[in-house]
Amino acid sequence: MADKSAIEWTEATWNPTTGCDRISRGCDHCYALTLAKRLKAMGSPKYQTDGDPRTSGPGFGVATHQAELALPLRWREPRIVFVNSMSDLFHARVSFDFVEQVFDVMAATPQHTYQVLTKRASRLAKLAPRLTWPSNVWMGVSVEDSSEVGRIDDLRTVPAAVRFISAEPLLGPMTPLDLSGIDWLIAGGESGVGARPVDPAWVRDLRDQCQEDGVAFFFKQWGGRTPKAGGRDLDGETWDEMPGLPVMSAVRHRG
């Protein structure tokens, strides 16, 4: 699971922490919660901690994994790494000491580019001044609709080399959106059982705002029963823009 990723905007995942708790509408159909239950049943040692059934579930209790910290040190080839696809590094039950150790590993492996994503933007803003931010760390917040845009204000205070927004699952319009200090925006519809449909107008508005403000735009998927059910084309184009990388660079493919 760590060596390769099917997520279109990254190349690998690294999970030094696992588990989380649902805190907003975007968490309602959390893929990681469902996957953790399956991994627990399969006997995976990282997923044997159960979470509160009101907000989490079997195998999805927050746990830290000291042995996982060494994994990026063993990767010889540079790669783009999504940190904690199965958790939230800034969850309250992840100690500052462990967060700092994760950042130390990222600083010690400058050949990799790390993408860290959180919904807990207020804790991010609180801890950010105490952390050393190497230039290979991209920091993002998940924002599913206009009720959560305050997370972006917290992100703006963070001295990351790249700041990004993940508008996935996109559950409502977010216009107008203040994109000052933001380098990249990912948008995508929800997938899985009970997936809530995304309005194309919401996606077009985000694309147009990004173009106007010079922010890289990446459209991941329309969503549906499976992630790829609806495809990725937006008005006949595939939007794969990335901020300042020689690979997976800013490209739009016309269909």
PDB file of all heavy atoms in Angstrom, residues 137-158:
ATOM      1  N   VAL A 137       7.783  19.895   1.699  1.00  0.00           N
ATOM      2  CA  VAL A 137       6.499  19.578   2.340  1.00  0.00           C
ATOM      3  C   VAL A 137       5.409  20.499   1.807  1.00  0.00           C
ATOM      4  O   VAL A 137       5.514  21.729   1.919  1.00  0.00           O
ATOM      5  CB  VAL A 137       6.590  19.709   3.876  1.00  0.00           C
ATOM      6  CG1 VAL A 137       5.222  19.513   4.513  1.00  0.00           C
ATOM      7  CG2 VAL A 137       7.572  18.691   4.431  1.00  0.00           C
ATOM      8  N   TRP A 138       4.387  19.898   1.229  1.00  0.00           N
ATOM      9  CA  TRP A 138       3.193  20.625   0.800  1.00  0.00           C
ATOM     10  C   TRP A 138       2.118  20.406   1.862  1.00  0.00           C
ATOM     11  O   TRP A 138       1.900  19.279   2.315  1.00  0.00           O
ATOM     12  CB  TRP A 138       2.670  20.088  -0.529  1.00  0.00           C
ATOM     13  CG  TRP A 138       3.593  20.235  -1.697  1.00  0.00           C
ATOM     14  CD1 TRP A 138       4.891  20.639  -1.698  1.00  0.00           C
ATOM     15  CD2 TRP A 138       3.265  19.958  -3.060  1.00  0.00           C
ATOM     16  NE1 TRP A 138       5.400  20.644  -2.969  1.00  0.00           N
ATOM     17  CE2 TRP A 138       4.423  20.218  -3.830  1.00  0.00           C
ATOM     18  CE3 TRP A 138       2.100  19.516  -3.701  1.00  0.00           C
ATOM     19  CZ2 TRP A 138       4.457  20.056  -5.213  1.00  0.00           C
ATOM     20  CZ3 TRP A 138       2.134  19.346  -5.075  1.00  0.00           C
ATOM     21  CH2 TRP A 138       3.287  19.614  -5.825  1.00  0.00           C
ATOM     22  N   MET A 139       1.449  21.459   2.242  1.00  0.00           N
ATOM     23  CA  MET A 139       0.424  21.357   3.287  1.00  0.00           C
ATOM     24  C   MET A 139      -0.932  21.734   2.720  1.00  0.00           C
ATOM     25  O   MET A 139      -1.072  22.767   2.053  1.00  0.00           O
ATOM     26  CB  MET A 139       0.782  22.289   4.467  1.00  0.00           C
ATOM     27  CG  MET A 139      -0.110  22.093   5.688  1.00  0.00           C
ATOM     28  SD  MET A 139       0.131  20.478   6.476  1.00  0.00           S
ATOM     29  CE  MET A 139      -1.587  19.914   6.589  1.00  0.00           C
ATOM     30  N   GLY A 140      -1.941  20.882   2.993  1.00  0.00           N
ATOM     31  CA  GLY A 140      -3.273  21.141   2.468  1.00  0.00           C
ATOM     32  C   GLY A 140      -4.359  20.955   3.504  1.00  0.00           C
ATOM     33  O   GLY A 140      -4.156  20.325   4.553  1.00  0.00           O
ATOM     34  N   VAL A 141      -5.531  21.521   3.212  1.00  0.00           N
ATOM     35  CA  VAL A 141      -6.724  21.308   4.036  1.00  0.00           C
ATOM     36  C   VAL A 141      -7.853  20.804   3.152  1.00  0.00           C
ATOM     37  O   VAL A 141      -7.955  21.173   1.978  1.00  0.00           O
ATOM     38  CB  VAL A 141      -7.164  22.588   4.779  1.00  0.00           C
ATOM     39  CG1 VAL A 141      -6.132  22.990   5.826  1.00  0.00           C
ATOM     40  CG2 VAL A 141      -7.429  23.744   3.819  1.00  0.00           C
ATOM     41  N   SER A 142      -8.689  19.944   3.708  1.00  0.00           N
ATOM     42  CA  SER A 142      -9.879  19.461   3.013  1.00  0.00           C
ATOM     43  C   SER A 142     -11.026  20.430   3.271  1.00  0.00           C
ATOM     44  O   SER A 142     -11.287  20.786   4.421  1.00  0.00           O
ATOM     45  CB  SER A 142     -10.270  18.070   3.521  1.00  0.00           C
ATOM     46  OG  SER A 142      -9.294  17.121   3.210  1.00  0.00           O
ATOM     47  N   VAL A 143     -11.693  20.837   2.208  1.00  0.00           N
ATOM     48  CA  VAL A 143     -12.814  21.773   2.312  1.00  0.00           C
ATOM     49  C   VAL A 143     -13.914  21.269   1.385  1.00  0.00           C
ATOM     50  O   VAL A 143     -13.777  21.340   0.166  1.00  0.00           O
ATOM     51  CB  VAL A 143     -12.397  23.210   1.916  1.00  0.00           C
ATOM     52  CG1 VAL A 143     -13.571  24.165   2.091  1.00  0.00           C
ATOM     53  CG2 VAL A 143     -11.197  23.672   2.735  1.00  0.00           C
ATOM     54  N   GLU A 144     -14.991  20.754   1.952  1.00  0.00           N
ATOM     55  CA  GLU A 144     -16.014  20.121   1.134  1.00  0.00           C
ATOM     56  C   GLU A 144     -17.132  21.051   0.676  1.00  0.00           C
ATOM     57  O   GLU A 144     -17.811  20.784  -0.307  1.00  0.00           O
ATOM     58  CB  GLU A 144     -16.619  18.914   1.860  1.00  0.00           C
ATOM     59  CG  GLU A 144     -17.285  19.246   3.177  1.00  0.00           C
ATOM     60  CD  GLU A 144     -16.376  19.009   4.372  1.00  0.00           C
ATOM     61  OE1 GLU A 144     -15.165  19.315   4.270  1.00  0.00           O
ATOM     62  OE2 GLU A 144     -16.869  18.539   5.410  1.00  0.00           O
ATOM     63  N   ASP A 145     -17.345  22.159   1.395  1.00  0.00           N
ATOM     64  CA  ASP A 145     -18.378  23.118   1.009  1.00  0.00           C
ATOM     65  C   ASP A 145     -18.093  24.450   1.693  1.00  0.00           C
ATOM     66  O   ASP A 145     -17.114  24.583   2.430  1.00  0.00           O
ATOM     67  CB  ASP A 145     -19.791  22.597   1.336  1.00  0.00           C
ATOM     68  CG  ASP A 145     -19.991  22.267   2.809  1.00  0.00           C
ATOM     69  OD1 ASP A 145     -19.366  22.929   3.668  1.00  0.00           O
ATOM     70  OD2 ASP A 145     -20.775  21.347   3.114  1.00  0.00           O
ATOM     71  N   SER A 146     -18.953  25.419   1.474  1.00  0.00           N
ATOM     72  CA  SER A 146     -18.694  26.769   1.973  1.00  0.00           C
ATOM     73  C   SER A 146     -18.679  26.854   3.495  1.00  0.00           C
ATOM     74  O   SER A 146     -18.115  27.788   4.060  1.00  0.00           O
ATOM     75  CB  SER A 146     -19.724  27.747   1.405  1.00  0.00           C
ATOM     76  OG  SER A 146     -21.037  27.353   1.761  1.00  0.00           O
ATOM     77  N   SER A 147     -19.275  25.880   4.184  1.00  0.00           N
ATOM     78  CA  SER A 147     -19.305  25.925   5.647  1.00  0.00           C
ATOM     79  C   SER A 147     -17.928  25.683   6.259  1.00  0.00           C
ATOM     80  O   SER A 147     -17.711  25.971   7.440  1.00  0.00           O
ATOM     81  CB  SER A 147     -20.304  24.893   6.196  1.00  0.00           C
ATOM     82  OG  SER A 147     -19.841  23.572   5.984  1.00  0.00           O
ATOM     83  N   GLU A 148     -16.987  25.160   5.469  1.00  0.00           N
ATOM     84  CA  GLU A 148     -15.665  24.818   6.004  1.00  0.00           C
ATOM     85  C   GLU A 148     -14.537  25.667   5.425  1.00  0.00           C
ATOM     86  O   GLU A 148     -13.364  25.329   5.594  1.00  0.00           O
ATOM     87  CB  GLU A 148     -15.368  23.334   5.741  1.00  0.00           C
ATOM     88  CG  GLU A 148     -16.389  22.362   6.301  1.00  0.00           C
ATOM     89  CD  GLU A 148     -16.477  22.390   7.828  1.00  0.00           C
ATOM     90  OE1 GLU A 148     -15.560  22.963   8.465  1.00  0.00           O
ATOM     91  OE2 GLU A 148     -17.451  21.841   8.369  1.00  0.00           O
ATOM     92  N   VAL A 149     -14.863  26.780   4.764  1.00  0.00           N
ATOM     93  CA  VAL A 149     -13.797  27.571   4.140  1.00  0.00           C
ATOM     94  C   VAL A 149     -12.888  28.235   5.174  1.00  0.00           C
ATOM     95  O   VAL A 149     -11.776  28.660   4.834  1.00  0.00           O
ATOM     96  CB  VAL A 149     -14.376  28.638   3.173  1.00  0.00           C
ATOM     97  CG1 VAL A 149     -15.053  27.972   1.989  1.00  0.00           C
ATOM     98  CG2 VAL A 149     -15.320  29.579   3.900  1.00  0.00           C
ATOM     99  N   GLY A 150     -13.310  28.287   6.428  1.00  0.00           N
ATOM    100  CA  GLY A 150     -12.443  28.834   7.472  1.00  0.00           C
ATOM    101  C   GLY A 150     -11.148  28.057   7.620  1.00  0.00           C
ATOM    102  O   GLY A 150     -10.136  28.594   8.102  1.00  0.00           O
ATOM    103  N   ARG A 151     -11.166  26.791   7.202  1.00  0.00           N
ATOM    104  CA  ARG A 151      -9.934  25.999   7.244  1.00  0.00           C
ATOM    105  C   ARG A 151      -8.849  26.614   6.364  1.00  0.00           C
ATOM    106  O   ARG A 151      -7.656  26.494   6.663  1.00  0.00           O
ATOM    107  CB  ARG A 151     -10.222  24.565   6.781  1.00  0.00           C
ATOM    108  CG  ARG A 151     -11.136  23.775   7.708  1.00  0.00           C
ATOM    109  CD  ARG A 151     -11.547  22.444   7.089  1.00  0.00           C
ATOM    110  NE  ARG A 151     -12.459  21.695   7.950  1.00  0.00           N
ATOM    111  CZ  ARG A 151     -13.163  20.646   7.565  1.00  0.00           C
ATOM    112  NH1 ARG A 151     -13.053  20.202   6.307  1.00  0.00           N
ATOM    113  NH2 ARG A 151     -13.970  20.016   8.411  1.00  0.00           N
ATOM    114  N   ILE A 152      -9.262  27.278   5.303  1.00  0.00           N
ATOM    115  CA  ILE A 152      -8.292  27.891   4.386  1.00  0.00           C
ATOM    116  C   ILE A 152      -7.586  29.058   5.069  1.00  0.00           C
ATOM    117  O   ILE A 152      -6.394  29.290   4.863  1.00  0.00           O
ATOM    118  CB  ILE A 152      -8.985  28.343   3.088  1.00  0.00           C
ATOM    119  CG1 ILE A 152      -9.699  27.167   2.425  1.00  0.00           C
ATOM    120  CG2 ILE A 152      -7.974  28.952   2.120  1.00  0.00           C
ATOM    121  CD1 ILE A 152     -10.573  27.557   1.248  1.00  0.00           C
ATOM    122  N   ASP A 153      -8.303  29.803   5.898  1.00  0.00           N
ATOM    123  CA  ASP A 153      -7.681  30.906   6.620  1.00  0.00           C
ATOM    124  C   ASP A 153      -6.582  30.395   7.547  1.00  0.00           C
ATOM    125  O   ASP A 153      -5.522  31.022   7.669  1.00  0.00           O
ATOM    126  CB  ASP A 153      -8.734  31.670   7.427  1.00  0.00           C
ATOM    127  CG  ASP A 153      -9.739  32.391   6.548  1.00  0.00           C
ATOM    128  OD1 ASP A 153      -9.366  32.804   5.430  1.00  0.00           O
ATOM    129  OD2 ASP A 153     -10.904  32.531   6.958  1.00  0.00           O
ATOM    130  N   ASP A 154      -6.820  29.259   8.202  1.00  0.00           N
ATOM    131  CA  ASP A 154      -5.781  28.664   9.048  1.00  0.00           C
ATOM    132  C   ASP A 154      -4.593  28.219   8.202  1.00  0.00           C
ATOM    133  O   ASP A 154      -3.433  28.404   8.595  1.00  0.00           O
ATOM    134  CB  ASP A 154      -6.345  27.469   9.821  1.00  0.00           C
ATOM    135  CG  ASP A 154      -7.251  27.872  10.975  1.00  0.00           C
ATOM    136  OD1 ASP A 154      -6.963  28.904  11.608  1.00  0.00           O
ATOM    137  OD2 ASP A 154      -8.242  27.171  11.239  1.00  0.00           O
ATOM    138  N   LEU A 155      -4.873  27.629   7.053  1.00  0.00           N
ATOM    139  CA  LEU A 155      -3.797  27.160   6.174  1.00  0.00           C
ATOM    140  C   LEU A 155      -2.899  28.313   5.743  1.00  0.00           C
ATOM    141  O   LEU A 155      -1.673  28.159   5.641  1.00  0.00           O
ATOM    142  CB  LEU A 155      -4.393  26.472   4.945  1.00  0.00           C
ATOM    143  CG  LEU A 155      -3.407  26.000   3.881  1.00  0.00           C
ATOM    144  CD1 LEU A 155      -2.470  24.935   4.436  1.00  0.00           C
ATOM    145  CD2 LEU A 155      -4.150  25.475   2.650  1.00  0.00           C
ATOM    146  N   ARG A 156      -3.490  29.467   5.493  1.00  0.00           N
ATOM    147  CA  ARG A 156      -2.704  30.617   5.014  1.00  0.00           C
ATOM    148  C   ARG A 156      -1.626  31.039   6.013  1.00  0.00           C
ATOM    149  O   ARG A 156      -0.651  31.687   5.642  1.00  0.00           O
ATOM    150  CB  ARG A 156      -3.634  31.794   4.710  1.00  0.00           C
ATOM    151  CG  ARG A 156      -3.967  31.954   3.255  1.00  0.00           C
ATOM    152  CD  ARG A 156      -4.741  33.247   3.019  1.00  0.00           C
ATOM    153  NE  ARG A 156      -6.125  33.105   3.397  1.00  0.00           N
ATOM    154  CZ  ARG A 156      -7.095  32.687   2.568  1.00  0.00           C
ATOM    155  NH1 ARG A 156      -6.794  32.387   1.323  1.00  0.00           N
ATOM    156  NH2 ARG A 156      -8.337  32.577   2.979  1.00  0.00           N
ATOM    157  N   THR A 157      -1.805  30.692   7.292  1.00  0.00           N
ATOM    158  CA  THR A 157      -0.834  31.090   8.319  1.00  0.00           C
ATOM    159  C   THR A 157       0.365  30.154   8.385  1.00  0.00           C
ATOM    160  O   THR A 157       1.322  30.432   9.110  1.00  0.00           O
ATOM    161  CB  THR A 157      -1.496  31.125   9.707  1.00  0.00           C
ATOM    162  OG1 THR A 157      -1.798  29.782  10.144  1.00  0.00           O
ATOM    163  CG2 THR A 157      -2.779  31.943   9.690  1.00  0.00           C
ATOM    164  N   VAL A 158       0.307  29.062   7.634  1.00  0.00           N
ATOM    165  CA  VAL A 158       1.332  28.018   7.724  1.00  0.00           C
ATOM    166  C   VAL A 158       2.468  28.299   6.732  1.00  0.00           C
ATOM    167  O   VAL A 158       2.207  28.539   5.548  1.00  0.00           O
ATOM    168  CB  VAL A 158       0.703  26.634   7.437  1.00  0.00           C
ATOM    169  CG1 VAL A 158       1.766  25.552   7.405  1.00  0.00           C
ATOM    170  CG2 VAL A 158      -0.363  26.322   8.483  1.00  0.00           C
TER     171      VAL A 158
END
